[in-house]
Amino acid sequence: MSKGTILVVGSNATQLEAKSGGTITIGQFLNETAVPLMAIEAAGYDFVLATPTGDKPHVDKDSDALLYFANDDAARTRARDFFNNAPAMNAVRSLRSVIDEGQDRYAGVFFPGGHAPVVDVMQDPDAGEVLRHFHAHNKPTAAICHGPMGILAALDKAREFRAALIAGDQAKARDLAKGWPYAGYRMTVFSRGEEEFAEDNVFKAKLFFNMPDALEAAGGKVITTAENFTSHVVVDRELITAQNPMSDHELAANFIAALDKRA
């Protein structure tokens, strides 16, 4: 018998705007999705995957790499098989249908990473409605790497906030962020240094904004490590955030502990 059901808020985005023009091909990160969800299932929970459109997320091709699995090819294969074939990964719902059906059945909510949530989830009104529900009921809310950008959807003017970030107008962004439910929370996210590494070595292009600046403009107290790509998780009240792909196991352990405590 399941100990409870987790709502997973995935992304449908596959292209991210580049500051130099054009777009960068992105998706949801393989390990940041599969590793926590496999751990959640092993701990006795099940999950429902929902996205803005109701379509299954795409895997970021750069995330299907051994370095994100401690060079363990068997672990990468398990994650790939889970993402591709697990029944719950292929029974995708729209966020709107989840809301209409009722959210009381869910014990917690999880936002996987990859750059994809920076495009759609962070400004999606349905994601915002989900977040406000979980915040109001003090239910465990977990996010990893770029997943914490998804919690910006809880802003009353999330679309305008994102547009202000792209325009480089931090003052307008701060004004638009007034009333964010997570203002004052300690949290973490993909760091400035980690983003610079990705821009220089993976994308070969600059982004319009970095993630700590965005969360700080909204009122978050962002804490990142001095050393890039080391596991780091921050827990503040119901919010559990993880900094980067290397934080997948630590994020899962903290999320499961929060779920078990509430249960």
Side-chain angles (χ1 to χ4, degrees), residues 20-159:
S20 55
T23 60
I24 300 160
T25 299
I26 55 165
Q28 204 162 281
F29 245 54
L30 177 60
N31 74 301
E32 295 170 8
T33 306
V35 170
L37 291 181
M38 287 190 294
I40 285 166
E41 283 197 337
Y45 295 88
D46 55 25
F47 69 90
V48 170
L49 172 60
T51 65
T53 69
D55 298 311
K56 186 175 180 177
H58 290 270
V59 170
D60 186 320
K61 60 180 176 57
D62 292 320
S63 71
D64 190 0
L66 284 172
L67 71 97
Y68 300 117
F69 297 92
N71 292 313
D72 183 343
D73 191 47
R76 179 178 65 168
T77 297
R78 285 194 298 273
R80 188 191 294 140
D81 288 346
F82 179 87
F83 193 101
N84 291 336
N85 303 317
M89 288 299 300
N90 291 289
V92 189
R93 304 274 303 277
S94 70
L95 287 169
R96 187 71 253 163
S97 73
V98 166
I99 293 166
D100 290 344
E101 184 181 74
Q103 300 179 70
D104 290 341
R105 62 176 288 214
Y106 297 102
V109 62
F110 171 51
F111 290 74
H115 281 78
V118 181
V119 179
D120 59 353
V121 175
M122 74 172 283
Q123 59 178 336
D124 185 79
D126 293 333
E129 190 170 341
V130 166
L131 283 159
R132 287 187 287 273
H133 170 88
F134 280 83
H135 176 72
H137 292 83
N138 196 36
K139 293 183 179 181
T141 300
I144 183 169
C145 199
H146 290 79
M149 295 296 287
I151 65 176
L152 290 165
L155 289 166
D156 289 335
K157 297 180 178 179
R159 291 186 186 277

Side-chain angles (χ1 to χ4, degrees), residues 16-24 204-206 208:
L16 173 64
E17 311 97 324
K19 195 171 185 178
S20 55
T23 60
I24 300 160
K204 311 294 184 183
K206 293 293 182 182
F208 277 99

